[in-house]
């Protein structure tokens, strides 16, 4: 599954964008107050060559666009947009042009640490005010700014509307690239999840106020394994009709999936964005249009359905067909016309009266990919020619190798003829095809195979008629855990050269289509899986559209792909894996405490994991709670107890929950926990061997758990946590614990060697000194029993330390992002504020300082041991119930369990 997500995706079909002149970034001077409040952030204006030189005095006359980089993103990522916009402005002699600004967020890790998101949002607000001031007193001064946000930058842009003093009219257009709008990819701290909740709730509650803001979200598709496309779809709102979400594989003229970074420079996608920007300009104001309907129609034109025409806001309803062209009537139901170097223009007319009774639709395709009109519907005609027609080219759709139009005859009762215009061509070769057909004859139903068929069975269909278009309906394909491989094999009657076939997987409830162009004849493999499950109130069926060659047979075979099903599980739920791993280790820890009660010995981590970590101990209870939450009476009781909603129920409501997914993830967690235990044991042995070769160890002296020296250590680390960064204090105490565990391991090895040496000495002395034999025997027996019990105690303690270390490794990993963020921003501020783990760090320091000096002998005699051994099981259940979507809660469950261990050492 991991391999499927990380490696088995389509090749990168994006072209790189290049600058024709050297890119320059002009730093914009900010007000002193703003610069002082946000010392790490900066604002830049992008430029190249002469354009950059002209802008150095900041006498700007263009349309302002602000680029916001994402997690660890650079302000220089604006160059692809800025450079292509500059080239396009040159094409129109700078009648219109755009000024691209970019914010430097110091490459902060905001996807992993949410503490600075609010700060970034406020800074962007200040930047918008500064940008608009630059245009003051200009002839066509802008009153708003368009924003392009990559990754988390898109979320920061949406968060602007949650600020109390922000005026919504300051933004009129927002385009986000691979932004996780629905939820964070890794919910590692409370600030991140709270920020998401605030933004999404505001957009739902204030949907009516957002009608003047047009939002486009572009997702990267399956190549983007960092942010899955399902997260990039804006929350669906029935009253919010000014938002659009698309996957890059469905964007006309791009038709390519992008990874998380290439979405910023993918030439095909950037061209679509810049073309849209220029079409959005209002000629009167020379700024982006204030009309929300026009903005949406432009975005639909460039990002959803492109008719192979240059955008027009109000195309003429009727047109006269002029030109000294020859008029030719075609009465056949199927027609093909190829031409090359034809100097005479022609009109081909298809009378509809004779076809209406026999056929329901007409389909035409044209391989000439220009932007001129080519198909018309005749409204007024005489015997030889059409006098007045409506332009049906706007109904066409652009595909990679052809432009096609499908018309339902019933929808056009007033049309007497369909007219195809063939202009004179010099040096161009192209083909036109038209056919009338009945919808039923071209629609085939193909039931998908069951999830548990594991690819052993298949659904098969043979298309052997002579049509140009087929729609294969994929029945019962509506869930995200379904994944299939579709094989299309084409056989042709003759070996003549043909245009390529186009296969489109069309998902009707979201713009996530994927298009593949295949040679004919050929054998093509298509992956079929969803980014978004079918909504409850939607009954439409996904289709495989085959734009075919007329004299070819097509065989379609569909099989379940187990590898891709596992890939979907990882794609949708890999973020919750740490919860399953820690849950397994916690169950093992509880098992070790239980064996300490029953046998007096601490069992080995790997053996105890196999014995204790069973999914049936935790999964059924969560499933029962999720089932009961479907009843109102249970929900009322649950809410009256002030309990948070179970994460599995939230995921089910988002259609992101699979049957058996939790079991698979639990088993995967068991595997990772097992090998992390093996890794720890091996690492300890290696470190110990290195230690023994360098330093002769001293025998550790047994002393009190709490000494003045240790108390000073705890206080100093607590001070470090409070004044700098909690994660830093946790990391220091973790390294200290690691060092102590290596010391214990070395000491036990040394003890063992020393006892062997003592045994050997006593045996040698007994051979040479017979008269002192009895006294030497008793001394060696006493030493041996003492050393054996000490070694056993040291080994037991070491096993417990390895498990606790294993638990805390995952806590350190979960807190690592805030540590990295703090280290990166150390030159601006010594104290991390806000700090997601300041208070928990102080508790962790106290717990670990005691545990690293404890041994199992103290725990064995404790009255609280039975409770401490039973607590990890309910904590594991609670962790899986409430930690999957809130990873920052995981340390709290571990801390509670180890707090009882500390009490066992004392009481």
């Amino acid at each position: 599954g991991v391999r499927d997500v990380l490696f088995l995706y389509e090749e990168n079909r994006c072209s790189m964008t290049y600058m024709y002149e050297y890119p320059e970034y002009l730093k914009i001077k900010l007000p002193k107050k703003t610069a002082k409040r946000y010392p790490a952030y900066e604002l830049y204006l992008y430029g190249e060559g002469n354009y950059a030189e002209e802008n150095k005095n900041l006498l700007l006359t263009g349309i302002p666009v602000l680029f916001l980089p994402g997690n660890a993103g650079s302000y220089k990522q604006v160059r692809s947009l800025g450079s292509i916009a500059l080239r396009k402005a040159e094409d129109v002699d700078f009648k219109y042009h755009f000024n691209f600004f970019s914010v430097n967020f110091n490459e902060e890790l905001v996807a992993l640490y949410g503490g600075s998101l609010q700060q970034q949002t406020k800074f962007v607000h200040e930047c918008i005010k500064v940008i608009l001031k630059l245009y003051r007193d200009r002839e066509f001064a802008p009153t708003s700014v368009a924003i392009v946000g990559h990754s988390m930058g898109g979320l920061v842009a949406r968060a602007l509307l949650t600020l109390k003093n922000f005026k919504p009219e300051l933004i009129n257009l927002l385009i986000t690239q691979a932004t996780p709008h629905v939820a964070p990819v890794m919910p590692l701290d409370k600030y991140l999840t709270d920020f998401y909740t605030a933004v999404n709730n505001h957009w739902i509650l204030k949907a009516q106020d957002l009608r003047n803001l047009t939002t486009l979200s572009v997702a990267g598709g399956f190549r983007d394994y960092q942010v899955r496309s399902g997260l990039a779809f804006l929350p669906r709102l029935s009253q919010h009709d000014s938002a659009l979400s698309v996957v890059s594989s469905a964007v006309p003229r791009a038709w390519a999936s992008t990874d998380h970074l290439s979405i910023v420079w993918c030439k095909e996608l950037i061209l679509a964005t810049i073309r849209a920007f220029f079409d959005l300009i209002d000629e009167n104001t020379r700024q982006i249009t204030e009309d929300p309907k026009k903005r949406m129609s432009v975005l639909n034109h460039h990002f959803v359905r492109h008719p192979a025409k240059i955008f027009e806001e109000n195309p003429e309803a009727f047109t006269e067909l002029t030109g000294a062209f020859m008029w030719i009537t075609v009465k056949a139901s199927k027609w093909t016309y190829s031409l090359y170097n034809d100097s005479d223009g022609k009109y081909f007319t298809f009378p509809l009266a004779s076809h209406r009774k026999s056929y329901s639709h007409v389909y035409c395709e044209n391989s000439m990919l220009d932007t001129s009109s080519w198909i018309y519907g005749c409204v007024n005609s005489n015997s030889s020619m059409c006098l007045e027609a409506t332009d049906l080219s706007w109904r066409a759709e652009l595909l990679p190798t052809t432009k096609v139009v499908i018309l339902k005859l019933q929808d056009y009762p007033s049309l007497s003829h369909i007219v195809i215009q063939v202009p004179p061509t010099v040096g161009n070769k192209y083909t036109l095809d038209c056919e009338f057909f009945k919808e039923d004859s071209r629609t085939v139903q193909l039931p998908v195979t069951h999830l548990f068929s594991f690819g052993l069975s298949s659904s098969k269909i043979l298309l052997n008629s002579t049509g140009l278009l087929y729609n294969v309906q994929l029945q019962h394909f509506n869930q995200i855990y379904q994944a299939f491989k579709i094989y299309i094999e084409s056989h042709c009657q003759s070996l003549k050269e043909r245009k390529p076939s186009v296969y489109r997987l069309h998902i009707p409830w979201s713009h996530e289509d994927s298009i593949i162009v295949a040679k004919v004849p050929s054998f093509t493999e298509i992956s079929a899986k969803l980014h978004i499950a079918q909504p409850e109130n939607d009954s439409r069926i996904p289709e495989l559209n085959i734009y075919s060659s007329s004299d070819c047979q097509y065989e379609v075979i569909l099989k379940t792909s187990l590898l891709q099903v596992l890939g979907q599980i990882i794609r949708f739920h890999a973020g919750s894996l740490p919860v399953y791993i820690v849950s397994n280790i916690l169950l093992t820890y509880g098992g070790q405490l239980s064996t300490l009660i029953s046998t007096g010995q601490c069992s080995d981590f790997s053996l105890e994991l196999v014995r204790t970590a069973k999914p049936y101990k935790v999964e059924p209870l969560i499933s029962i709670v999720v089932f009961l939450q479907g009843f109102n009476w249970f929900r009322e009781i649950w809410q009256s107890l002030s309990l948070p909603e179970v994460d599995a129920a939230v995921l089910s409501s988002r259609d992101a929950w699979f049957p058996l997914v939790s079991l698979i993830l639990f088993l995967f967690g068991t595997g990772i926990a097992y090998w992390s235990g093996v890794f720890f044991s091996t690492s300890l042995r290696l470190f110990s061997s290195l230690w023994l070769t360098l330093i002769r160890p001293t025998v550790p002296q047994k002393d009190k758990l709490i000494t003045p020296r240790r108390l000073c250590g705890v206080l100093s680390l607590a001070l470090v946590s409070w004044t700098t960064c909690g994660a830093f204090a946790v990391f220091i105490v973790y390294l200290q614990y690691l060092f102590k565990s290596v010391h214990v391991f070395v000491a036990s090895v040394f003890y063992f060697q020393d006892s062997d040496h003592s045994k050997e000495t006593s045996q040698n002395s007994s051979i040479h000194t017979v008269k002192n034999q009895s006294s030497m025997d008793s001394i060696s027996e006493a030493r041996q029993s003492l050393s054996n019990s000490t070694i056993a105690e040291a080994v037991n303690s070491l096993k417990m330390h390895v498990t606790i270390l294993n638990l805390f490794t995952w806590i350190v990993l979960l807190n690592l992002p805030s540590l990295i963020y703090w280290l990166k921003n150390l030159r601006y501020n010594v104290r991390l504020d806000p700090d997601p783990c300041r208070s928990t760090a102080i508790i962790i320091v106290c717990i670990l300082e005691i545990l690293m000096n404890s041994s199992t002998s103290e725990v064995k005699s404790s009255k609280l041991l039975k409770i401490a051994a039973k607590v990890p099981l309910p904590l594991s259940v609670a962790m899986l119930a409430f930690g999957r979507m809130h990873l920052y809660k995981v340390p709290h469950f571990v801390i509670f369990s180890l707090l009882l261990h500390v009490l066992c050492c004392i009481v």
Side-chain angles (χ1 to χ4, degrees), residues 446-465:
L446 183 69
V448 298
T449 48
H450 196 271
L451 179 69
F452 297 111
S453 65
F454 303 119
L456 299 172
S457 63
S458 63
S459 284
K460 196 182 291 186
I461 208 153
L462 187 67
L463 310 170
N464 56 5
S465 73

Side-chain angles (χ1 to χ4, degrees), residues 56-75:
K56 280 187 177 172
N57 56 10
L58 293 178
L59 296 171
L60 306 177
T61 56
I63 301 164
V65 180
L66 179 61
F67 175 79
L68 305 179
N71 178 55
S74 167
Y75 65 95

Side-chain angles (χ1 to χ4, degrees), residues 358-389:
S358 310
Y359 304 105
S360 63
H361 289 70
V362 61
Y363 167 83
C364 290
E365 60 182 27
N366 185 351
S367 64
M368 182 69 165
L369 301 180
D370 62 353
T371 56
S372 57
S373 294
W374 60 283
I375 184 167
Y376 301 90
C378 191
V379 235
N380 184 7
S381 64
N382 60 24
S383 56
S384 61
M385 59 190 288
C386 183
L387 302 173
E388 195 177 30

Side-chain angles (χ1 to χ4, degrees), residues 514-783:
S514 54
I515 291 179
I516 289 175
V517 179
K519 289 179 182 176
V520 180
S522 66
F523 183 81
T524 309
E525 183 185 303
I526 299 171
S527 290
K529 50 199 173 190
L530 299 172
H531 294 294
I532 285 190
Q534 186 178 27
E536 280 181 20
N537 55 354
D538 201 315
S539 59
R540 290 172 293 176
I541 300 170
E543 287 183 337
L544 175 67
N545 306 133
I546 299 176
Y547 300 92
S548 56
S549 290
S550 57
D551 60 339
C552 295
Q553 270 191 349
Y554 291 82
E555 186 177 28
V556 182
I557 301 165
L558 182 142
K559 289 182 178 180
T560 297
S561 172
L562 179 63
L563 183 71
Q564 291 186 64
V565 169
L566 293 173
Q568 286 290 80
I569 290 173
I570 295 299
R571 183 173 284 108
F572 280 80
H573 297 287
S576 59
L577 260 176
V579 183
Y580 288 91
I581 298 162
V582 175
S583 177
N584 272 281
I585 300 169
L586 201 58
L587 286 171
T588 308
Y589 164 74
Q592 284 180 316
L593 291 179
S594 298
T595 54
L596 204 61
I597 297 167
S598 56
T599 63
Q601 302 294 318
C602 184
S603 55
D604 187 64
F605 176 82
S606 302
L607 296 171
E608 196 57 46
L609 179 77
V610 173
R611 190 182 73 84
T612 320
K614 304 291 183 192
Y616 59 75
K617 291 183 178 180
V618 291
E619 288 302 329
L621 190 61
I622 296 169
S623 300
I624 290 164
V625 171
V626 171
F627 172 73
L628 289 173
Q629 279 198 331
F631 299 100
N632 288 330
W633 61 269
F634 186 81
R635 270 206 304 276
E636 284 167 12
I637 295 167
W638 191 266
Q639 285 164 4
S640 66
L641 296 169
S642 299
L643 289 168
E645 202 171 355
V646 177
D647 288 353
V650 178
L651 289 167
S652 292
S653 68
R654 290 182 189 166
D655 298 316
W657 199 239
F658 303 28
L660 303 177
V661 66
S662 201
L663 174 65
I664 292 165
L665 290 169
F666 190 93
L667 296 175
F668 192 16
T670 308
I672 295 171
Y674 179 87
W675 288 108
S676 66
V678 170
F679 173 76
F680 260 100
S681 304
T682 312
S683 301
L684 276 174
R685 284 192 179 88
L686 285 170
F687 282 128
S688 305
S689 306
L690 189 67
W691 188 311
L692 279 167
T693 54
L694 298 173
I695 307 160
R696 184 172 174 80
T698 54
V699 175
Q701 298 297 315
K702 187 74 185 152
D703 57 1
K704 290 179 182 177
L705 277 175
I706 301 163
T707 62
R709 188 181 171 186
R710 283 170 197 159
L711 204 61
C712 285
V714 169
L715 290 170
S716 57
L717 281 173
L719 192 67
V720 166
S721 173
W722 195 257
T723 55
T724 59
C725 169
F728 181 53
V730 170
F731 189 66
I732 293 170
V733 80
Y734 172 77
L735 291 177
Q736 199 181 335
Y737 199 155
L738 200 63
F739 176 81
K740 187 82 177 178
S741 299
V742 172
H743 188 60
V744 170
F745 190 90
V746 169
S748 63
V749 171
F750 177 65
Y751 254 136
F752 188 70
Q753 289 173 349
D754 195 42
S755 66
D756 280 359
H757 178 69
S758 308
K759 204 188 287 181
E760 203 177 298
T761 311
S762 67
Q763 284 171 351
N764 289 340
S765 1
S766 66
I767 292 164
H768 295 295
T769 336
V770 178
K771 61 181 175 180
N772 290 333
Q773 190 174 356
S774 61
S775 62
M776 288 299 291
D777 280 348
S778 62
I779 289 164
S780 69
E781 277 172 25
R783 181 186 271 187

Side-chain angles (χ1 to χ4, degrees), residues 34-94:
T34 306
K36 192 179 178 183
R37 192 181 294 168
Y38 311 101
Y41 302 157
E42 294 164 327
L43 177 65
Y44 288 89
L45 171 66
Y46 177 81
E48 285 177 30
N50 293 333
Y51 170 75
E53 284 295 319
E54 288 166 12
N55 284 340
K56 280 187 177 172
N57 56 10
L58 293 178
L59 296 171
L60 306 177
T61 56
I63 301 164
V65 180
L66 179 61
F67 175 79
L68 305 179
N71 178 55
S74 167
Y75 65 95
K76 293 181 180 181
Q77 287 172 313
V78 72
R79 61 184 177 268
S80 294
L81 283 163
S83 185
I84 288 181
L86 185 60
R87 300 282 82 81
K88 192 155 174 67
E90 285 175 356
D91 289 345
V92 295
D93 295 326
F94 280 92

Side-chain angles (χ1 to χ4, degrees), residues 446-506:
L446 183 69
V448 298
T449 48
H450 196 271
L451 179 69
F452 297 111
S453 65
F454 303 119
L456 299 172
S457 63
S458 63
S459 284
K460 196 182 291 186
I461 208 153
L462 187 67
L463 310 170
N464 56 5
S465 73
T466 55
L468 295 170
L469 170 72
Y470 293 97
N471 296 321
V472 180
Q473 292 185 340
L474 306 175
Q475 290 182 306
H476 318 301
F477 177 33
N478 49 21
Q479 297 297 331
I480 50 171
Y481 54 78
Q482 294 174 299
F484 307 100
K485 278 189 176 175
I486 301 173
Y487 303 98
I488 305 174
E489 191 170 5
S490 55
H491 307 279
C492 300
Q493 292 166 8
S494 60
L495 296 171
K496 67 175 184 182
E497 190 184 341
R498 288 176 182 80
K499 63 177 176 60
S501 289
V502 176
Y503 308 134
R504 173 165 67 179
L505 183 66
H506 174 59

